[in-house]
Amino acid sequence: MKLYRFLSAPDDNSFCHKVTAALNKGWHLFGSPTYAYDKKTESMRCGQAVVKDVEGQEYGPDTKLSDW
């Protein structure tokens, strides 16, 4: 199965740690990172899509992406 996640966090080191953790679990960057202003919190947020191929498994709506 092919999995997709969009990671987001405030523009601080928590974002880099979140992406780094995903990369170390076998996820791969997909596309360019994004950067946007969050009007509600009056702060900048970062985002990055990641993908992962998992052999021998089938995707279903109950698949918990963060487990992979």
Side-chain angles (χ1 to χ4, degrees), residues 3-5 7 21-22 25 27 52 63-68:
L3 301 174
Y4 169 91
R5 292 178 66 194
L7 307 174
K25 288 184 176 181
W27 293 83
K52 183 175 187 177
T63 301
K64 188 173 179 186
L65 301 175
S66 60
D67 284 349
W68 297 96

Side-chain angles (χ1 to χ4, degrees), residues 1-31:
M1 77 178 150
K2 182 177 277 294
L3 301 174
Y4 169 91
R5 292 178 66 194
F6 184 77
L7 307 174
S8 66
D11 181 22
D12 59 22
N13 67 350
S14 68
F15 175 72
C16 293
H17 284 287
K18 188 180 278 191
V19 173
T20 299
L23 293 173
N24 279 284
K25 288 184 176 181
W27 293 83
H28 301 277
L29 299 177
F30 184 79

Side-chain angles (χ1 to χ4, degrees), residues 29-52:
L29 299 177
F30 184 79
S32 300
T34 60
Y35 192 61
Y37 182 72
D38 182 342
K39 188 175 179 180
K40 184 176 180 182
T41 62
E42 297 182 344
S43 64
M44 296 302 290
R45 292 191 59 84
C46 300
Q48 174 66 57
V50 293
V51 293
K52 183 175 187 177

